[in-house]
Amino acid sequence: YVADDDVSEQANDPFSGLMEAYSSLRTSVDFAIAGTHRIIQVTSSQPSEGKSLSSSVLARKYAQLGRKTLLIDADLRKPTIANLFGAKRSSTGFAEVLLGDVPLADALLKNTPENLDVLPIGSIPSNPVELLSSQLLVDFLAKHREDYAVIVIDSSPVMGLADAPLISRHVDGVVFIVEANRSQFGQTKSALRRL
């Protein structure tokens, strides 16, 4: 357990307990999801459980190993990935790339760590469920899977929304974040069942 006010301090220290835990998580994901060119979704049962921070740190850990990594902010309800990289939200991003309005290279954040490409959300579409359930997502992942050793998708929480279950149909594995001392067992169990 890490207190909220200690998270940013521990996230900046590569030898902190939090960063060691994320290194263990990355290793566990490698064992659980074998192969190359993997697509990993990160979600939680409810908002504010740390899924976006976990997505960004997991993607950084893969990039630090020299694996070309793409981090996608696919939380079409409450995007935060751009903020975690010190960037303002752009008008172009994931939705515009899916729709074919913008090439992937033009929508990526600038000045990200080596081996890490970050695709922020851009504009929030009025029809998130329709966008994520369309062939556009399937085609996008098929097109870019071979370009990256790992694609990490930060999706919205599971409960109350269809987004995360829709995305989970197209990934190799899901990392499910549960916040210590806050999550309710019944809600967590229901969220896992939905996935």
Side-chain angles (χ1 to χ4, degrees), residues 25-61:
L25 172 63
R26 189 211 39 84
T27 302
S28 296
V29 169
D30 279 345
F31 282 120
I33 308 168
T36 56
H37 306 291
R38 294 168 294 162
I39 302 175
I40 300 163
Q41 176 185 3
V42 181
T43 189
S44 60
S45 61
Q46 58 189 342
S48 303
E49 287 193 274
K51 66 171 184 57
S52 296
L53 175 64
S54 298
S55 298
S56 64
V57 174
L58 186 62
R60 286 176 192 262
K61 292 283 183 191

Side-chain angles (χ1 to χ4, degrees), residues 63-141:
Q64 288 167 359
L65 291 174
R67 299 183 194 175
K68 190 172 182 192
T69 304
L70 174 63
L71 172 61
I72 301 172
D73 191 345
D75 187 340
L76 302 177
R77 314 297 177 144
K78 192 176 176 186
T80 57
I81 292 294
N83 290 344
L84 292 172
F85 285 85
K88 293 182 179 174
R89 211 166 102 213
S90 168
S91 59
T92 58
F94 181 55
E96 290 74 22
V97 172
L98 274 188
L99 293 167
D101 297 337
V102 177
L104 174 63
D106 293 349
L108 298 173
L109 289 182
K110 308 296 183 215
N111 304 316
T112 55
E114 187 177 0
N115 298 316
L116 179 59
D117 289 341
V118 179
L119 179 60
I121 198 68
S123 62
I124 296 178
S126 59
N127 55 350
V129 172
E130 288 82 359
L131 187 63
L132 294 175
S133 59
S134 72
Q135 187 66 29
L136 296 171
L137 178 62
V138 177
D139 294 344
F140 171 84
L141 293 175

